[in-house]
Each structure stands twice: as structure tokens, then as C-alpha cells.
Amino acid sequence: MKIITRFAPSPTGFLHIGGVRTALYSWLFSRRNKGLFILRMEDTDIYRSNNKSINSIINGLKWLNINWDKDPFFQTNNIYKYMLIIKKMLNDGNAYKCYCSKNRLNLLRNYQIKNKIKPRYDKFCTNFIKKKKQYVIRFRNPNNGFVIFNDKIRGLIKINNKELDDLIICRENGIPTYNFSSVIDDINMNITHIIRGVEHINNTPRQINIFKVLNQKIPKYAHVSIILDKNKKKLSKRNCINDINEYKKKGYIPEAIINYILKLGWSYKNKEIFTINEMKKCFSFKNFIKSNSIFDIKKLNWLNQNYMKKMPIVKIKKKILSYIDNINLNINKIPKIESVIKLFKKRCKNLIEMVKLFKYIYKKKILLNYFMFKKILKFKHIYKILIIIYNKFKKNKFWNNNNINLIILKIKKQFKLKMYEICMPLRIIITGNIKTPNINDIIYIIKKKTVLYRINQIINIIYNFKNN
Ligand code: GLU
Ligand code: ZN
């Protein structure tokens, strides 16, 4: 049997963490089994579905390298196919038209709630032939018996048909609802395994009943636990960055995101870091976690940093180019971007942070704010020291780490300074920052000309400041 899974988002919002997780698990399961993975846009809610959302889903998955087979499928291109089946179901008596007004349904609901009856449709329109223009079509759910299925994560689930509503399968506007079109496509696409969020578990017995009246093979189901924030609230825009494309903008590494999301609801021994191949190899339903998962941005940052440390420089280079373009930084000057990445890659949580941290390297002038300037002035003999350093650097013929270090050490000795008292002012002057990689390394990679320019710049400012 060929394994076929699908990711079936309703394109009504951005691609969020929970969606990526469903897509990832479905993708891994099909890839592991050399099956197919299908992307299906469940866009039959025509008022809420939109192109922005479709783009968010497609771009997000592409960025994460979750690739799908065949073209993405859009349900709205196939309305007539669903309607043919609904017509047949109406003829066979497996579906019926419901003419109830919103008002009637509301009254019914209020009555049921007041009398502590589980709110559901009372089948008022079954066997009831009334010719009105406005109607929805309902599935005739069996009145007796049970729906039993073996959830791959949650085990055996048994639901009494008496608990189930006659659900609406076609709206008043003639467009089928999610529960119906989803089943029909799962049939047409020969989906073997449905992996989705546990919030869908109540839909499953209803959907199984539709499979049954259509005499179709029922797929296997796996309902994945909910993701919560630290305060046990459902993830939302308010309590975390939930839009996957925001993580891209913020400079996260897609492999780290995938690794993090994989572990939200699934685990394998004590292993934390997985390559994509390892994920494919280890993935099975045995290792799902039934309890809710907690989203922890600190752990994601830790993982991201870990990936950055290990990532080859050329790969990081490829990934940061777009961020560099965004801030119009010209990196085609000295030093080579590869040597800059080498210095910075261990120090940053993400790619954007890295670009922000090293951008001073490629700027000609360093803009010091007043606070930084005051800080420099506080260092002992600073004016004199800067002039000496400037001259020594200028005379130096062999620009290498060792020579730079020797010059600095000599001046330190001459003025009886602590290391900090010479490195800190240099650091501020040359980088405009208080925290940087080893200042000798920075001085070395940005080369003599720029270093002299920056030191000279500050000498002039101090000179003018003193004489005014
Ligand atoms: N369109 C549904 C959703 O976005 C899909 C549920 C399913 O996988 O069946 O939640
Ligand atoms: Zn009705």
C-alpha cells in the first residue's frame, strides 16, 4: 500500500506553528515510507479564504523545505464534483435539505442549553418536504450504533452515534463545508493517514460516517496534542510569534525551526538535535506525546544558536545575503564576508542579529553618540594613546594579528594600563559597540586603512572638543 498523507490548511490566516507541525509530521511520515505528500487548500469558506494566506502557507513551507508532490490542490476548483456526490446522497436519503431559519436554530439551542441537553440539531427537517429557496444540506447521521476508530496516538476511541449531529455538508450558498469536501478529497486522493490537531477529533466520527455511507475505506487517524504557551494558554498572536514567516524575517534558521517544532509533541530517546535524514529515519507514531506541548522561545533560540554554530560558513553566507540587501549594506569591500562570519557566528542567536552586529565593519564612518564619546574621554591619557597607536599602526608594515597585539601590549605597558583600559576605548572607536569579538581580530580584518580612518576621526573630535 502506498502511503499518502496531506496537509490541508484552510487558507484564512498565516501559516502558524501548529500548522507547520501538522505539515511536518505528515511530510515526514510519507517521506519515511516513500509515499506521497499532498498540499490541499481547503478554501471552501470563500469569505475568509484569501490569497495572502495562500502565499503565507506556500512561502512558509518552501522556506522550511517541506516539499509537496503534485501541484497544490484547491477545493474551490472542484465544487461541482462535491455537488454531484451530494446530489446522489440526497437521492439515496443519506442527506436532506434543512429549511430551518437561524432564528429557529437559535431558539432550539437556547432551549437545549437551558435544559442541560447537549446542543444539537433536532432533525426537524428529516422526511420533511418543503419547497423554499433557502436551505442547507445536512448529512443523515445514523441514529444508532457506534463509531469506533483506533487513533494512532490516542488509542481506541468509541463514540455513540446518538451524540452526533446531522452536520451541514452544503451551505446556503451552494458550497460544501469543510467536513464534507475534506472527506471527498481524502477519498479521491487515496489518503491513507490523516495527521492533524486534536481540535479536529470531534469531526472524525462524523467524517467516518460519511466514508461509511459512501462505502469507502477509512483512513488511519492520528490526532496530535495542542501547543500551549508557558501560561498554559493556546498559542496565538498575542502570546508568541505564531506566524512562521515572521521567524524568517527575524533571521531564524529553517532547519532549527523544523527541529524545534518536531519536538513539540514528539520525542525520540533523549535526542534533541536531528538532521532531516535522522528525522525521517526515526519518525514513527510510537513516539508521540499525548499530553499538551509547551512552546518555549528560549529553547528555540538555544537550538537556533546551536545550528548557527555548526553551520558551514558558506551556508550562512547564502542565508544572510537577503538580510544584508535589506539594509543596503555593501559587503563587496574588504574584509571578505566569510572572515566576518567566522568571527561572529558563535556569538549570535540568529542571522539578523549577526548582520546587525557586524554591520559596522562595512561602514566607513562610525557614528558615536554622546554617551559613547563621554565614555571614551574617561579613559586615562586617551588622547595621547590614540595618537601613539595611530602612528604605530601607520608605520606597521606587516598587518597581522600578532603585530597588532604587540603594539597594543607595548602601549599598555608604557602607560601602566589594564587590558580593559586600552581595549575598551579602541573597541568603541573602531566598532561603535561595547560588545564585539576580540578587538585584535576586528582590527585585523577591517584592515589598516579603515582602522586609521576611524582612529583619526576620533582624534579630531577630541581635539576640537578640548579646544572649544
Ligand atoms: N482545513 C482543516 C484545518 O485547517 C484541515 C483539517 C484536516 O486536516 O482534516 O484545520
Ligand atoms: Zn431544518
Side-chain angles (χ1 to χ4, degrees):
M1 177 183 67
K2 191 165 187 81
I3 301 291
I4 307 180
T5 62
R6 64 358 178 234
F7 175 46
S10 302
T12 54
F14 52 74
L15 177 61
H16 51 71
I17 292 170
V20 171
R21 191 183 55 167
T22 303
L24 176 64
Y25 292 157
S26 307
W27 177 74
L28 281 174
F29 186 65
S30 82
R31 293 296 176 249
R32 185 201 157 109
N33 292 292
K34 308 219 168 355
L36 289 178
F37 172 66
I38 289 169
L39 174 58
R40 181 169 88 213
M41 297 289 175
E42 301 206 321
D43 56 348
T44 61
D45 185 344
I46 51 171
Y47 300 109
R48 291 177 58 229
S49 298
N50 60 73
N51 280 339
K52 209 171 148 198
S53 170
I54 293 170
N55 289 338
S56 165
I57 294 164
I58 290 190
N59 294 337
L61 293 179
K62 277 190 178 162
W63 177 59
L64 295 168
N65 264 322
I66 299 182
N67 59 333
W68 54 90
D69 303 302
K70 305 184 177 170
D71 287 336
F73 179 94
F74 290 84
Q75 291 191 322
T76 46
N77 292 340
N78 289 280
I79 303 285
Y80 72 99
K81 282 195 190 155
Y82 310 120
M83 290 320 290
L84 282 179
I85 299 167
I86 289 183
K87 244 185 207 149
K88 185 162 182 307
M89 287 172 71
L90 281 170
N91 282 338
D92 296 348
N94 289 321
Y96 62 93
K97 293 178 181 172
C98 165
Y99 300 92
C100 294
S101 65
K102 283 211 172 78
N103 191 27
R104 174 171 189 277
L105 294 175
N106 268 340
L107 288 174
L108 172 69
R109 195 182 149 78
N110 291 342
Y111 171 85
Q112 287 170 331
I113 291 175
K114 211 169 136 194
N115 291 287
K116 303 213 161 56
I117 304 169
K118 188 175 166 192
R120 88 181 121 186
Y121 182 61
D122 61 352
K123 300 184 186 250
F124 181 73
C125 297
T126 7
N127 308 320
F128 191 74
I129 302 168
K130 192 164 153 194
K131 293 263 183 267
K132 266 209 292 187
K133 268 201 188 133
Q134 301 287 30
Y135 58 84
V136 298
I137 299 173
R138 287 183 187 271
F139 172 62
R140 195 187 299 274
N141 198 78
N143 289 326
N144 303 308
F146 293 87
V147 182
I148 302 171
F149 66 99
N150 200 354
D151 190 280
K152 288 270 188 200
I153 301 173
R154 274 144 227 288
L156 204 69
I157 294 180
K158 185 174 173 186
I159 308 278
N160 193 328
N161 268 322
K162 290 202 164 58
E163 299 278 320
L164 302 176
D165 233 344
D166 281 358
L167 62 91
I168 297 175
I169 54 175
C170 183
R171 303 176 176 90
E172 239 174 46
N173 62 5
I175 298 182
T177 55
Y178 150 68
N179 269 307
F180 186 73
S181 40
S182 192
V183 168
I184 301 308
D185 286 336
D186 287 336
I187 294 170
N188 288 341
M189 294 171 169
N190 294 315
I191 302 295
T192 55
H193 293 77
I194 295 179
I195 304 171
R196 60 185 176 194
V198 72
E199 65 274 16
H200 282 291
I201 204 158
N202 290 334
N203 291 325
T204 305
R206 303 160 210 265
Q207 294 181 358
I208 289 179
N209 278 334
I210 302 178
F211 275 97
K212 281 186 182 162
V213 303
L214 297 174
N215 286 321
Q216 296 294 333
K217 192 163 180 242
I218 297 157
K220 301 263 183 297
Y221 290 90
H223 290 92
V224 188
S225 61
I226 287 185
I227 311 173
L228 301 173
D229 77 346
K230 286 199 300 290
N231 304 318
K232 306 264 158 81
K233 295 229 164 68
K234 254 193 102 172
L235 285 197
S236 77
K237 263 195 258 184
R238 261 161 278 123
N239 55 18
C240 76
I241 308 169
N242 207 2
D243 178 352
I244 218 64
N245 291 295
E246 282 297 313
Y247 287 93
K248 179 180 180 186
K249 281 192 205 143
K250 288 200 174 303
Y252 281 81
I253 309 266
E255 292 85 340
I257 299 270
I258 292 264
N259 193 151
Y260 182 68
I261 292 181
L262 171 78
K263 298 276 328 271
L264 283 173
W266 185 88
S267 74
Y268 184 79
K269 300 183 180 162
N270 284 329
K271 199 168 158 61
E272 287 294 344
I273 298 184
F274 292 80
T275 63
I276 298 288
N277 275 339
E278 286 172 334
M279 289 181 199
K280 286 182 194 166
K281 236 194 233 152
C282 304
F283 193 80
S284 86
F285 287 109
K286 267 201 313 248
N287 304 317
F288 273 93
I289 303 162
K290 273 193 213 165
S291 53
N292 297 333
S293 344
I294 306 289
F295 181 80
D296 178 2
I297 187 79
K298 280 200 200 122
K299 189 160 173 211
L300 172 58
N301 287 339
W302 171 81
L303 253 182
N304 202 65
Q305 192 154 14
N306 216 295
Y307 269 82
M308 283 194 50
K309 273 187 202 154
K310 287 199 201 132
M311 192 165 274
I313 291 175
V314 274
K315 215 165 164 196
I316 296 196
K317 178 180 169 188
K318 226 167 120 191
K319 287 186 192 285
I320 57 173
L321 290 180
S322 65
Y323 302 109
I324 288 173
D325 267 0
N326 285 349
I327 57 165
N328 284 326
L329 197 66
N330 178 4
I331 55 156
N332 298 320
K333 318 187 242 186
I334 289 169
K336 274 193 163 167
I337 188 71
E338 285 83 353
S339 50
V340 177
I341 295 174
K342 191 171 168 209
L343 272 188
F344 282 80
K345 75 191 245 269
K346 290 207 172 89
R347 311 176 57 89
C348 318
K349 282 201 294 293
N350 58 56
L351 299 169
I352 282 256
E353 187 182 274
M354 181 155 141
V355 174
K356 277 190 188 149
L357 281 184
F358 74 53
K359 69 177 181 206
Y360 58 75
I361 289 192
Y362 291 100
K363 299 242 155 120
K364 187 160 189 205
K365 280 187 187 165
I366 292 298
L367 293 175
L368 288 184
N369 59 31
Y370 189 67
F371 163 78
M372 294 279 207
F373 181 62
K374 281 291 227 192
K375 209 172 159 86
I376 294 170
L377 288 183
K378 280 195 191 131
F379 287 98
K380 284 183 256 173
H381 319 293
I382 188 68
Y383 186 66
K384 228 187 209 170
I385 290 173
L386 287 177
I387 289 178
I388 296 174
I389 290 189
Y390 179 88
N391 288 324
K392 292 219 160 155
F393 278 169
K394 196 170 175 184
K395 269 190 236 143
N396 182 275
K397 290 217 169 63
F398 303 101
W399 194 252
N400 59 37
N401 250 337
N402 195 31
N403 285 343
I404 294 166
N405 199 26
L406 283 179
I407 295 174
I408 294 177
L409 287 179
K410 230 173 162 183
I411 300 173
K412 174 185 171 268
K413 208 170 164 195
Q414 185 187 340
F415 285 85
K416 297 196 176 59
L417 301 172
K418 288 185 190 113
M419 207 52 190
Y420 162 86
E421 289 171 310
I422 183 149
C423 287
M424 189 46 113
L426 272 180
R427 171 171 287 127
I428 298 176
I429 290 162
I430 288 165
T431 74
N433 280 272
I434 295 175
K435 272 192 186 158
T436 70
N438 188 326
I439 191 62
N440 292 353
D441 292 337
I442 299 280
I443 291 175
Y444 170 64
I445 65 165
I446 64 177
K447 303 292 178 217
K448 194 155 127 179
K449 203 171 136 204
T450 315
V451 174
L452 290 179
Y453 181 90
R454 292 184 189 178
I455 298 179
N456 189 42
Q457 193 191 349
I458 198 80
I459 290 177
N460 288 335
I461 298 176
I462 302 179
Y463 180 83
N464 290 332
F465 185 78
K466 278 186 174 173
N467 294 306
N468 273 321

